[in-house]
Each structure stands twice: as structure tokens, then as C-alpha cells.
Amino acid sequence: MFMDNDVEEGNLGPYADRPRVFPSMRSKAHTPLIFRILMGINVRVLLVFLLLGLGAIFYVGAKTSPIIVFVFSICIMSFLFSIYLTKWVLAKDEGPPEMVQISDAIRDGAEGFFRTQYGTISKMALLLALVILGIYLFRSTTPQQEASGIGRSTSAYITVAAFLLGAICSGIAGYVGMWVSVRANVRVSSAARRSAREALQIAVRAGGFSAMVVVGMAVIGVAILYATFYVWLGVDLPGSMKVTDLPLLLVGYGFGASFVALFAQLGGGIYTKAADVGADLVGKVEQGIPEDDPRNPAVIADLVGDNVGDCAARGADLFESIAAEIISAMILGGTMAQRCKIEDPSGFILFPLVVHSFDLVVSSVGILSIRGTRDSGSKSPIEDPMAILQKGYSITIVLAVLTFGLSTRWLLYTERAPSAWFNFALCGLVGIITAYAFVWITQYYTDYKHEPVRTLALASSTGHGTNIIAGVSLGLESTALPVLVISVAIISAFWLGHTSGLVDENGNPTGGLFGTAVATMGMLSTAAYVLTMDMFGPIADNAGGIVEMSQQPESVREITDLLDAVGNTTKATTKGFAIGSAALASFLLFSAYMDEVAAFAQEPFKQVDIAIPEVFVGGLLGSMLIFLFSAWACAAVGRTAQEVVNEVRRQFIERPGIMDYKEKPDYSRCVAIVATASLREMIKPGALAILSPIIVGLLFRILGSYTGHPLLGAKVVAAMLMFGTVSGILMALFLNTSGGAWDNAKKYIETGALGGKGSDCHKAAITGDTVGDPFKDTAGPSLHVLIKMLATITLVMAPIFL
């Protein structure tokens, strides 16, 4: 991982006069083993295996339900569309050799870290799978499981298989996100030399490839698991399991996805922000050189971080969001159908899969609506990229409303309540409006076209301290509107579901919770397009870095800066979107947890009384977990950044020729430092998140057995989950929005406002951006994964709390 000896010994002559050569950081091929095996197989043999696999999938689907066949068909078409997008992006030119060299260095660093990080995560996942297997082999079973003939061992192997499949799919989703971004960045840089519109189109289509694969895999993964269990267990046959109980067997899939997403987000977030902070503090503040300047030893590590932190981690994050939401909605749909004695409950159970299948279709239209211009001259006026992306989002939303209405009429119509489907269609509309509101609110607080960020930039003119105060207060204020929106959404959707006309055998309305589930699906019905906008951000950021490092003309850097600023807003938008969906999905998973506890305990469990001291303590512990986790995540970035700062300072002192382009910085040394430290630092906060609910549940279960309260452990964990979700939503909103606002306040000043680059105002804004980096890209995004993981881990571990 070190550069060649000529560079080390300074024998290359004046650096500025020579071709800019960047180190290869590759020690060996970083293509994952499974892909190397596939590439080694004869194409015809591979094609036969592929056709056999597809045949098996469709056979199992046909044995299950026509709805499953429809879902499989749409998912496979979306994968074909993603292949088209990849070919289109990779057909674009990579630009001059110096751009390609920088891109290769970024790609090798990202793929090397990804391999090491996911190697560590896979070992931890296997260990956790063994723990789950042990717990399930010795736990009690529910009366429903006993009636259907599913014993402890079958239940254990099903849960572990689902957990491992969720983890593997999440890992693939992360790899796909990174794979495309490290190949698209240089093509966006090259396109920026011709026109802003072409650069935008390439970045969007590259992001679209990743989004299609992530959403498609989340949907097809759950569908295959459902269909396989349906056929294998002989569901709905006499003496076997009812179809309404089947979704509970899928919980392990959501937990596996959450587990991988948490560590991917933590490790990637620590990596990207430690490198970014180190590069900014020494390069921009101490040495006064531009962002992404080739003289900065930490700049390659910073650009690698964009891919492992923003692309790979966000791919795993959104995959986990969609998987958790689908499974929780399937559980609630099945429970409601059972209570209402609906003859064919499969429509209510499979509805989430159909909604996300349509998401793939409408988002594809949205992606294709963003076209290049015929005039590729760089002199044409630069359009606002945000307006172009918003236009695509508007098209996607209109189509989502239409397809959602179609889905509800198709699957949720029942003779028992003929107008119920319309109420659920309105629930979906509530969710879609909520998503749009979240996108708008986040843009308002993080885009420098609006007042909050401009006020924050103005605060930088009076110093570093006032910038920090203004940024913290903006972040705190930004929690209000989203909470009001979520509150209105939950109550509206619950009321619409409650009044849908669906009642149980005693005449009590039962559609309320399912109405909330449908609203969550509505919110995520444009997830693929929102993820496309998110992936656009780091690709544009990398493109800007490549343009700066290869010393392209200022006009090219202006285009990539504009795309990068929009990318900051779209990244913040997606985080807001993910928090909103996490809040709704956690509410659903919490209800599913209470239902599962009631099934195991064989007694009602409908409410949690926080007036009981132990339950209140559980709530306090849940809130504390959020603060402690955030503290450890931010501290991890701080400690790793200190190592980077010391290394960059050392290189500037020991190699004074770096500043005059006479000596080459040792980029690979910074990459190695950040990679090692981030893998070490991700373990502690990750372990805290996984072990806390298990330890608390077991301790209070033991206490309950001594005090004659058999459900105490389950109640305390419920309170921990409830308070942790509420605190986590607020904390994540604060961290994400304040971090995004600080970053764009700096970008606003760099456009020439308030003194422009190099001014005291700019230096104060850099300090704010540095503080905001671990907020918005490490602790904040990790929190909404943590919220959902708390919910899935309690569902999986519920039997041991009783």
C-alpha cells in the first residue's frame, strides 16, 4: 500500500511539470469471491443455471399466489432496467489519464476497505446466528406453532436462515451501491467538461442503477422467502400453518438486514468523516489550500469515504428500511385479516410487496424523465439541478398516487367492507404527502437558497462560536415541523383505517394499525427515486474531487460544485425521509412485538404502563441508549480524525516540497490509518445497540420471576423500545439537519458570498462544517438504523423476555 520508490525518494523532478500519477492501493483483486466464481464459469453454463433458477423461482411463486408471480416479474424487469442503466453509464468516456488515475486510486481504496469491513461484519453475523439458533432451540413455542406442527428446531432453523439471507442481501445491496459510484464518478467529471446537464444525467442514472437493485432485492428477497416457506411448510393445508401466521417467520430477515446496515453505516460513517475532518482542518484551515487539493495527503481517503460511507452504507440502510417495513406491514395485514375472518387474506399480506413493485416501475419513469440536452456546449446557461431532480420526483409522485390507488382496489377489496379499500387508498395518500412534506422541510433547512442556511452563513461573519451556536439552534428548531407531520400522519392514517368498516367477530373496528402500515407503504412508495437522489450526492462530490485533483479549468469545477451543493441537500433529504419512515415502521414493529408477546404469554398485552417504576426505568434506559450511542459514534470520528490530522501535519513538516508540487504526498498512508481505525471504532457502539435490549430484557425477566410479574421483562423492553424510538427520531433529525445546514452554509460562502473562499467568515464556516460532519454522516444516519434494529431485535428475541 505504499507508492513507488521514485516518488518516495523525490527523484521525479518538479511535480507540477510531470504527469500527475497517483498510487495504486491494490494489493490483490478486490472482486468478491462469489463474483470471481461466477466470472470463471462458461457463459452458456451460467445462462442455463440462471434459467433454471428463474424457473424454480416462478414455479414456487405459481404454487403460492399469482400476486407473487407478478412481484417476481416486476423485480426481474427492474434488474434488466438496472443493467441497461449500467451499460449506458459505463459507455461514457472517463476523460484524460490524470482523471482515470485518481478514480482508480479511489476505487481501489473503497473496494479494499469494503472487503475488510464486510469480512469483519460477516464474522459477527455468523456468531450472532449461532446465538439465535441456541436461543430458539431452547425457547418455548406458541400454541399456533404447536397446532401447525412447527417445532423448536424448525422454528430455529427458519429464523437463522432468514437472518443470514437478510444479512447477505444487505451486504450485496451495499456492494452494488459502492460498485457503481466508484465507476460513475470519473464519468461525471469528464461530462462536466462538456455540460452541466450531461454530468447531472450520468450521476442520476448511476444512482438509479443502485436504487433499482437495492429496492428490487429487498422486495424479491422477502417474496422468495415467503413463497419458499409457503410451499415447504404446506401452508393452509389441513393441520398445517395458517397463511396469516407466516409473516412472523420472516422477522429474522429484517433483523439480518438491520444488523449489517448498522455496522456498514457506523464503519463507513467513521471512515468518511474522519478523513473529511482531517483533510479540512489541516488543508483548508491551517495551510489555506482548496478542498480536494492534490497536495493534501488525506484527500484520497476523503474521496474513498464518500463511497463507503454514503453509497455502500446508504444502500444497506434503505434496503433495511424497506425490508423492515414490508415485513411489519405483512404481519399486521395477516393479524387484521385473521381477526376480521376475511376468506382470502393473501391480498392484505402481499399488498406491501405489490406497492414496492410499482415503486420500481414509477421510479424508473422518474429516472428516465431526466434527460440530457441536445446542446452540449458549456456556454449554455447552467440550470438549477435541484429543479430538474424535483421535476422527476413530481412525476414519480403523481404515478405513485395512481398505482397506489390501483393496488388498494386490486388487493384490499373485500365483501365484508366494500368501501375499506378507498379508506386505505387515502391512508397511502397520507403517506405520500408525508414523504413530500419531509423532503420539502429538509430542503428548507439545508438548501442555501432558503433563509435558515443564509442566516447560519451570516453568523459565520462574527466568528467560529456564533457559527456553532446558530447551527445547533437551527438543528434543534428543525425537529418541530417533522414531528408535527409524523403526528398528523399517524393519527390520520389510524383514523382512516379505524373507520374503514373492517370489524372483528365482536364488532370492534380493527383496521387502525393496518391503516398506519398502509401510510408507511405510501411514504416508501417512491423509495427508489429518493434513493437515486441520495446516491447522486456522493457521486457528484467525488466528481468534484477528481476535477480539483486533476486541476481542470475553473469553469468545470463550478459545475461540479453546483452539483455537489445540490447533492448535500439530496443526501439530507433522504436522511429526513429515512427518519420519517423509521418512525412509522418502528410504530408498526412495536405493535407486532406486543402481538408476539401476547401469543407467547397466552394473555392480552395491549398497553405499557410507565407508572410502574421498572417500566419507567426501561424507558429511561432506551433514551439513554440513543445519547450514549450518538456520543460514542461522534467520539469515534474525533479520535480517528486526530490520527489523520497528526499524519497530514507530519507529512507537511517532513516533506516541505509538497506545497510547491516538488514532492508527492503519501495518500495511501492516510487511507490505511482511516481504514484500520474505523473498523476498530465501529465495534463498541454497534455492540451497545445489539446487547442493550437483550441484557435489559433478561435482567428484568429474572427480577419479574422473583417478584411474581412474569411479563415484567417484556414490558420493560417495550418501554425501552418506545422511548428509544422517540428520542432517536428527535436526535437523528437534529444531527442530520444541523450537519447538512453547516455544510451548505460553507458552500454558500464559497460561491462568493460574505467574503468568499479564504475569508475569516469562510474559516468559521469550515469549523461548523467540521463539527457537522460526524453529526450528519455518522451518528445521524446510524440512529435511524438503530431505531429499526431495536424493533427487529426485540421481535426476534421476544421469547427470551418471558
Side-chain angles (χ1 to χ4, degrees):
M1 286 196 48
F2 292 94
M3 297 187 306
D4 50 67
N5 292 329
D6 288 337
V7 176
E8 288 290 330
E9 292 162 14
N11 297 333
L12 287 180
Y15 168 34
D17 299 338
R18 302 190 61 84
R20 292 178 280 280
V21 180
F22 289 84
S24 172
M25 300 176 194
R26 183 179 290 157
S27 51
K28 59 174 130 176
H30 286 314
T31 311
L33 179 63
I34 188 165
F35 291 109
R36 292 206 297 275
I37 293 168
L38 288 172
M39 284 188 282
I41 300 172
N42 180 282
V43 177
R44 288 181 181 175
V45 175
L46 198 61
L47 198 62
V48 169
F49 276 121
L50 190 65
L51 289 171
L52 285 172
L54 284 174
I57 286 172
F58 277 101
Y59 172 75
V60 172
K63 296 273 283 182
T64 307
S65 167
I67 301 167
I68 290 284
V69 175
F70 171 79
V71 170
F72 285 159
S73 303
I74 296 285
C75 288
I76 287 161
M77 283 194 288
S78 76
F79 292 145
L80 294 173
F81 175 63
S82 65
I83 291 168
Y84 159 74
L85 290 178
T86 315
K87 288 195 164 186
W88 187 89
V89 170
L90 296 182
K92 298 292 178 182
D93 73 290
E94 294 184 305
E98 59 266 28
M99 278 188 174
V100 177
Q101 287 162 354
I102 299 160
S103 173
D104 285 347
I106 294 167
R107 185 175 72 205
D108 294 340
E111 290 183 345
F113 176 73
F114 186 90
R115 185 189 61 167
T116 313
Q117 182 193 26
Y118 274 75
T120 306
I121 292 171
S122 60
K123 287 170 191 165
M124 293 190 291
L126 285 171
L127 182 65
L128 187 56
L130 291 173
V131 171
I132 294 169
L133 183 66
I135 288 168
Y136 269 63
L137 284 173
F138 295 103
R139 66 164 204 171
S140 58
T141 52
T142 64
Q144 292 95 323
Q145 287 172 334
E146 287 168 8
S148 60
I150 294 183
R152 287 179 186 175
S153 57
T154 309
S155 178
Y157 292 125
I158 282 173
T159 305
V160 169
F163 171 79
L164 289 174
L165 183 66
I168 290 164
C169 288
S170 183
I172 294 171
Y175 181 75
V176 162
M178 183 210 66
W179 186 90
V180 71
S181 68
V182 294
R183 286 159 178 79
N185 52 17
V186 69
R187 290 166 170 85
V188 175
S189 305
S190 177
R193 297 178 306 151
R194 296 185 291 274
S195 82
R197 187 66 178 253
E198 188 188 346
L200 172 74
Q201 190 185 17
I202 293 171
V204 167
R205 290 197 168 188
F209 159 74
S210 180
M212 286 289 132
V213 173
V214 167
V215 177
M217 276 186 53
V219 175
I220 205 168
V222 175
I224 288 173
L225 212 55
Y226 176 89
T228 305
F229 290 161
Y230 187 96
V231 174
W232 177 43
L233 298 170
V235 171
D236 275 350
L237 294 175
S240 64
M241 175 181 267
K242 290 180 182 175
V243 71
T244 49
D245 295 326
L246 183 57
L248 264 175
L249 297 178
L250 308 177
V251 170
Y253 185 84
F255 180 35
S258 298
F259 178 83
V260 171
L262 182 71
F263 283 100
Q265 190 67 70
L266 269 173
I270 293 166
Y271 187 112
T272 182
K273 289 304 111 180
D276 195 357
V277 169
D280 283 358
L281 284 178
V282 185
K284 290 201 282 191
V285 177
E286 293 181 11
Q287 299 292 334
I289 56 178
E291 186 170 3
D292 301 325
D293 192 288
R295 292 169 291 180
N296 194 327
V299 74
I300 291 283
D302 181 13
L303 294 172
V304 167
D306 291 332
N307 296 290
V308 296
D310 287 331
C311 291
R314 195 76 70 253
D317 176 6
L318 259 286
F319 174 89
E320 177 261 348
S321 288
I322 292 162
E325 178 265 328
I326 288 175
I327 292 165
S328 58
M330 288 174 86
I331 291 169
L332 291 171
T335 306
M336 189 193 70
Q338 192 174 20
R339 284 177 184 161
C340 296
K341 299 285 189 289
I342 291 168
E343 286 182 14
D344 181 14
S346 59
F348 287 84
I349 295 168
L350 299 176
F351 180 66
L353 293 172
V354 172
V355 168
H356 286 294
S357 300
F358 278 125
D359 169 21
L360 291 166
V361 176
V362 300
S363 297
S364 302
V365 176
I367 291 162
L368 290 175
S369 72
I370 295 170
R371 298 178 173 276
T373 50
R374 287 180 187 172
D375 175 21
S376 61
S378 56
K379 290 182 181 177
S380 59
I382 298 175
E383 299 169 86
D384 179 9
M386 197 72 220
I388 299 167
L389 290 172
Q390 282 282 32
K391 184 184 170 188
Y393 185 49
S394 299
I395 290 168
T396 308
I397 277 192
V398 169
L399 291 172
V401 171
L402 295 172
T403 55
F404 206 96
L406 180 70
S407 306
T408 49
R409 180 65 183 81
W410 173 26
L411 296 170
L412 302 184
Y413 179 81
T414 172
E415 293 292 341
R416 292 180 67 84
S419 63
W421 72 271
F422 184 70
N423 279 44
F424 290 128
L426 292 176
C427 290
L429 189 61
V430 166
I432 292 169
I433 292 167
T434 302
Y436 194 83
F438 259 87
V439 168
W440 183 85
I441 291 164
T442 313
Q443 275 179 23
Y444 174 72
Y445 279 109
T446 56
D447 194 330
Y448 62 61
K449 290 198 288 289
H450 302 293
E451 193 63 29
V453 173
R454 295 194 173 205
T455 305
L456 175 55
L458 188 62
S460 308
S461 61
T462 50
H464 301 253
T466 46
N467 170 281
I468 300 299
I469 293 166
V472 169
S473 61
L474 183 150
L476 292 169
E477 181 191 313
S478 71
T479 61
L481 280 177
V483 167
L484 292 173
V485 169
I486 291 172
S487 305
V488 170
I490 289 174
I491 291 168
S492 304
F494 190 91
W495 181 82
L496 282 166
H498 195 70
T499 57
S500 64
L502 287 168
V503 292
D504 63 15
E505 54 195 6
N506 299 321
N508 300 317
T510 58
L513 271 178
F514 188 67
T516 315
V518 174
T520 313
M521 284 179 259
M523 188 166 186
L524 285 167
S525 63
T526 54
Y529 189 85
V530 173
L531 181 57
T532 300
M533 290 202 298
D534 181 77
M535 292 289 182
F536 162 84
I539 292 169
D541 193 351
N542 257 210
I546 292 170
V547 164
E548 181 71 46
M549 288 195 76
S550 59
Q551 296 171 353
Q552 299 298 312
E554 189 63 31
S555 59
V556 181
R557 180 73 213 208
E558 279 174 16
I559 289 173
T560 55
D561 275 350
L562 180 66
L563 295 179
D564 185 17
V566 170
N568 279 334
T569 305
T570 59
K571 283 191 287 184
T573 298
T574 312
K575 288 164 193 164
F577 177 84
I579 294 164
S581 65
L584 292 172
S586 298
F587 179 68
L588 304 180
L589 287 164
F590 180 72
S591 305
Y593 167 76
M594 294 179 83
D595 283 345
E596 190 181 6
V597 169
F600 276 103
Q602 296 177 45
E603 61 179 272
F605 185 51
K606 294 188 181 297
Q607 56 196 37
V608 180
D609 185 357
I610 60 167
I612 299 168
E614 293 90 343
V615 176
F616 183 73
V617 166
L620 274 179
L621 292 172
S623 295
M624 178 211 73
L625 171 64
I626 298 299
F627 283 80
L628 188 59
F629 177 88
S630 302
W632 284 1
C634 289
V637 173
R639 280 192 296 271
T640 310
Q642 285 170 0
E643 293 184 44
V644 177
V645 166
N646 291 334
E647 171 60 25
V648 175
R649 283 175 178 164
R650 181 191 69 76
Q651 289 198 36
F652 278 130
I653 291 166
E654 293 180 8
R655 300 182 181 195
I658 287 176
M659 289 302 289
D660 303 322
Y661 294 98
K662 291 176 182 172
E663 284 187 88
K664 201 75 174 287
D666 185 354
Y667 302 108
S668 52
R669 175 75 185 140
C670 286
V671 170
I673 286 171
V674 182
T676 307
S678 54
L679 288 172
R680 181 182 69 240
E681 296 283 0
M682 77 178 183
I683 304 294
K684 191 166 83 166
L688 173 77
I690 292 162
L691 297 175
S692 296
I694 298 173
I695 292 169
V696 168
L698 285 173
L699 283 175
F700 281 96
R701 175 196 168 175
I702 294 164
L703 181 64
S705 65
Y706 280 112
T707 56
H709 295 91
L711 283 181
L712 187 64
K715 287 177 180 176
V716 170
V717 168
M720 187 180 190
L721 181 57
M722 195 189 301
F723 281 61
T725 301
V726 171
S727 304
I729 291 163
L730 291 168
M731 179 68 94
L733 283 167
F734 161 67
L735 294 173
N736 286 332
T737 313
S738 56
W742 266 315
D743 196 345
N744 270 352
K746 177 199 72 177
K747 287 275 190 300
Y748 176 58
I749 292 166
E750 287 173 353
T751 62
L754 302 168
K757 289 183 181 180
S759 63
D760 288 341
C761 186
H762 184 228
K763 288 180 179 176
I766 292 168
T767 302
D769 179 33
T770 305
V771 173
D773 275 339
F775 279 28
K776 71 179 168 62
D777 286 324
T778 310
S782 299
L783 274 178
H784 48 81
V785 183
L786 171 66
I787 292 166
K788 285 168 289 191
M789 200 185 74
L790 282 175
T792 50
I793 198 170
T794 49
L795 260 178
V796 171
M797 299 296 183
I800 67 168
F801 305 145
L802 299 168

